[in-house]
Amino acid sequence: MNGNEYIAEILKQEGVDLMTCFPNNPLIETAARQGIRPVAFRHERGAIMAADGISRTSDRKKIGVAAIQSQAGAENAVGGIAQAFADSIPILVLPGGLMLNQLAVKPNFSAVRNYQGIVKQIEAIYQPEDIGNAMRRAFHALRNGPGGPVVVELTADVCAKEIPEQALNYQPPPQAQSQPSEADISDALRALRAAKNPLLWAGQGVLMAGATDDLKELAELTGIPVFCTMPGKSAMDERHPLCLGAGSGLTTMAAGKWLSECDLILALGSSLTRTFYGQPIRSNNKVLIQNTDDISAISREENVDIGLLGDTKLTIRALVEAIKAETDGVGFGDVEGISKQIAKIKSEWLSQWQPLLTSTEEPLNTYRVIHEIDKNLDRENSIVTHDAGAPRDSFVPFYTATSPHSYVGWGKTTHLGFGIPLMIGAKMANPEKFCLNLMGDAAFGMSGTDLETASRSGFAITTVLLNNGNMATYPRGFPHASKYGVGEMQGDYAKIAEGMGAVGLTVTKASAMGEALQQARALNQSGETVLIDVHSNMEAKKSQY
């Protein structure tokens, strides 16, 4: 057994059944012989982003694996790896490597040398005997602690060599979990009970830990409302009376009120990283309690009063049990009163936005498109995302996330075009779900050819494209550069989709949007990928509170 064959066997042992790729890498063929299905994308970045989609919707139960070729392939993958790194998503990237005697020769590209700032862990294979140990270290890093890309560079001639019998010793590493000390839980509970207007801040770690039901129980025990970050959106069913909604740089009116007026924030599964694409901690006069599994994230950018280091599910369970012990199981807080306050604010907010959400104008208003997506999807059996820029800003406050990962949020670094490969990856991990991405025409230029990947592979998705001929993120435009065409673009995207094996639908009237979505759902069910080309406006109003 040579090195590539042994790696494929290890992947199979770890339960990997799908691998994204862009040829050429010897592992693609050896993995296929093991029964691991390779899915070839049109660009290495797309392959990485789809692997991200597998992991991002699987809570470490499945790990996205991508195999790419050496040199140019490894170079092309950088954007996708950087996106996963920024959002702490565990993916395994297996780039082909140079020959051993070429590693130090410039300008040959070495992933080990060049990826250091965008990965959680990276190493190369220098001896065939190292493969089992390197792969064990890789899966340990993928399974434990904060997430992030893990890379094993496959030195070409080393991985082609036979593995000594005694080195065929791979054993899957365990998942090791920790939780805060009893003293820290006690301090946190004391602070919660002393607060007059507390807030639960739910980050991506709630989803990754499988702690959504626990979060709901904590909220209902305490009467504390829940705000979800953009990566954490869907950690709380947004129909729940204690859910304030979610936020990117923009958010709902109810969330804005509590973020401004709360006197304590209990951040669960969150790094509290300051980002233009997220809500800030709005003042320094709040008690701040932070839970994360990343020790380096506690107090990184905020003055944290109490740190709760550990798995988010175990942390919430410890808080819930401590509250029950102190209150004879009944909890504390005014659940009914807080719920009524939230309902009143939500009603006022939606009434302000109703004219845009139900607009009949042509070209279609962006918010009408989002409203139709919200109305026409079976949300518990769908996975949706948006792309960077204006689609994100409009979508996050208004789409109703229900079950975990019914919405997928992303974006501390915002790569245009992420939505298509992300949803292909989500479909690979969740073939029973309807997977949809909303994107602008600029984003389509970054990844549109992967509609052909979805069509060819049978992992059918729906793309809703806002075709407004411009870059809606920059509504003031480019007063001087526009005379050279900067910011403007054109295309018949439905026709382009048809040319790549997908079904192209064109929508020019608001009344046709719902029917197009229903048609897309039926077509996806039969294995056909769909692009809905929506002739839309450049609505500038944002939900900023």
Side-chain angles (χ1 to χ4, degrees):
M1 182 182 294
N2 70 28
N4 290 307
E5 291 167 340
Y6 189 33
I7 292 168
E9 184 176 280
I10 289 169
L11 294 177
K12 190 71 173 178
Q13 193 174 343
E14 285 286 0
V16 175
D17 58 358
L18 294 163
M19 182 173 71
T20 67
C21 64
F22 189 80
N24 182 30
N25 182 318
L27 185 61
I28 297 169
E29 189 64 23
T30 56
R33 286 201 296 269
Q34 282 283 348
I36 297 170
R37 179 184 172 183
V39 179
F41 282 71
R42 300 296 293 263
H43 189 283
E44 290 87 353
R45 191 186 81 144
I48 301 295
M49 289 175 165
D52 180 319
I54 292 171
S55 290
R56 203 178 283 251
T57 58
S58 299
D59 304 332
R60 284 180 163 162
K61 295 179 177 66
K62 294 180 183 177
I63 297 293
V65 178
I68 53 177
Q69 70 185 56
S70 65
Q71 302 280 76
E75 293 164 10
N76 274 339
V78 167
I81 296 170
Q83 178 78 59
F85 179 73
D87 285 350
S88 299
I89 303 301
I91 59 171
L92 178 60
V93 182
L94 299 167
L98 297 159
M99 303 289 277
L100 196 58
N101 65 359
Q102 292 292 304
L103 291 178
V105 179
K106 292 183 178 180
N108 290 336
F109 184 88
S110 161
V112 166
R113 284 200 305 270
N114 289 286
Y115 283 0
Q116 293 290 340
I118 55 169
V119 296
K120 176 181 178 179
Q121 179 174 300
I122 184 168
E123 64 179 293
I125 304 296
Y126 297 119
Q127 299 183 91
E129 298 94 318
D130 293 342
I131 288 176
N133 291 334
M135 294 299 288
R136 186 186 66 251
R137 288 189 289 269
F139 273 96
H140 171 79
L142 291 163
R143 209 161 266 150
N144 293 288
V150 174
V151 180
V152 180
E153 189 172 22
L154 310 181
T155 308
D157 49 346
V158 175
C159 290
K161 291 180 179 179
E162 292 296 305
I163 307 291
E165 187 71 29
Q166 68 273 17
L168 299 173
N169 57 359
Y170 184 78
Q171 178 176 315
Q175 185 176 35
Q177 294 179 317
S178 63
Q179 68 182 67
S181 69
E182 289 184 14
D184 287 339
I185 292 293
S186 179
D187 289 345
L189 180 52
R190 191 178 306 112
L192 276 177
R193 298 202 68 171
K196 303 296 184 190
N197 191 24
L199 172 68
L200 297 179
W201 171 298
Q204 177 177 266
V206 175
L207 290 163
M208 288 291 191
T212 54
D213 288 341
D214 309 279
L215 173 65
K216 176 173 174 281
E217 184 177 3
L218 178 62
E220 291 174 348
L221 264 178
T222 59
I224 301 176
V226 177
F227 163 76
C228 295
T229 66
M230 181 166 60
K233 183 178 166 82
S234 80
M236 184 79 163
D237 188 331
E238 291 181 344
R239 299 166 299 185
H240 192 284
L242 288 171
C243 188
L244 301 168
S248 55
L250 305 164
T251 193
T252 67
M253 182 188 286
K257 176 180 171 62
W258 257 270
L259 286 165
S260 295
E261 298 177 6
C262 67
D263 60 352
L264 178 146
I265 293 176
L266 170 55
L268 297 162
S270 176
S271 68
L272 294 178
T273 304
R274 295 180 189 177
T275 168
F276 182 74
Y277 309 108
Q279 289 295 306
I281 303 297
R282 296 192 179 186
S283 72
N284 290 323
N285 62 351
K286 304 179 191 298
V287 174
L288 190 54
I289 307 171
Q290 183 184 8
N291 157 250
T292 173
D293 61 0
D294 183 358
I295 186 65
S296 72
I298 295 179
S299 298
R300 179 190 291 160
E301 291 203 273
E302 305 293 344
N303 293 317
V304 172
D305 297 283
I306 301 169
L308 299 178
L309 179 65
D311 176 78
T312 297
K313 184 179 180 70
L314 295 179
T315 300
I316 298 175
R317 289 312 319 157
L319 286 166
V320 165
E321 296 310 318
I323 290 166
K324 287 180 175 178
E326 279 197 11
T327 64
D328 293 326
V330 298
F332 59 86
D334 183 8
V335 175
E336 185 178 351
I338 295 293
S339 297
K340 285 181 179 177
Q341 286 184 56
I342 294 170
K344 182 180 179 182
I345 297 167
K346 280 186 177 178
S347 177
E348 180 186 346
W349 172 62
L350 286 173
S351 69
Q352 291 177 9
W353 284 87
Q354 205 63 20
L356 292 183
L357 292 167
T358 58
S359 169
T360 58
E361 66 188 289
E362 298 171 14
L364 276 71
N365 189 284
T366 301
Y367 291 102
R368 176 63 187 267
V369 176
I370 294 166
H371 182 60
E372 291 296 331
I373 293 172
D374 199 43
K375 278 199 320 179
N376 283 280
L377 267 57
D378 175 4
R379 290 178 299 220
E380 285 79 8
N381 292 298
S382 301
I383 300 174
V384 302
T385 194
H386 46 73
D387 228 281
R392 171 197 60 232
D393 295 341
S394 306
F395 196 84
V396 172
F398 291 100
Y399 183 76
T400 308
T402 56
S403 54
H405 303 298
S406 56
Y407 160 92
V408 180
W410 55 277
K412 289 188 179 68
T413 176
T414 57
H415 284 257
L416 273 178
F418 187 39
I420 287 177
L422 173 62
M423 283 299 98
I424 296 174
K427 185 71 172 182
M428 291 169 71
N430 305 271
E432 76 285 359
K433 297 290 179 74
F434 174 69
C435 296
L436 175 148
N437 72 291
L438 175 72
M439 71 192 322
D441 35 12
F444 183 83
M446 298 287 182
S447 64
T449 53
D450 270 321
L451 283 181
E452 189 275 332
T453 303
S455 299
R456 167 174 33 88
S457 67
F459 293 111
I461 66 166
T462 290
T463 292
V464 177
L465 188 144
L466 300 172
N467 185 354
N468 52 35
N470 216 304
M471 300 183 77
T473 308
Y474 311 106
R476 290 180 292 278
F478 303 89
H480 300 290
S482 61
K483 65 184 178 183
Y484 302 107
V486 174
E488 298 175 0
M489 57 205 69
Q490 59 183 317
D492 184 338
Y493 300 101
K495 188 179 288 185
I496 293 170
E498 293 279 359
M500 292 188 291
V503 175
L505 306 174
T506 300
V507 172
T508 59
K509 295 184 179 297
S511 58
M513 189 67 218
E515 182 182 343
L517 287 164
Q518 293 296 343
Q519 187 177 352
R521 288 177 60 187
L523 287 164
N524 277 190
Q525 187 71 29
S526 64
E528 294 190 78
T529 287
V530 178
L531 181 139
I532 305 175
D533 183 340
V534 182
H535 293 200
S536 65
N537 70 1
M538 288 180 59
E539 177 59 58
K541 186 176 180 182
K542 305 295 181 188
S543 183
Q544 198 157 18
Y545 295 94

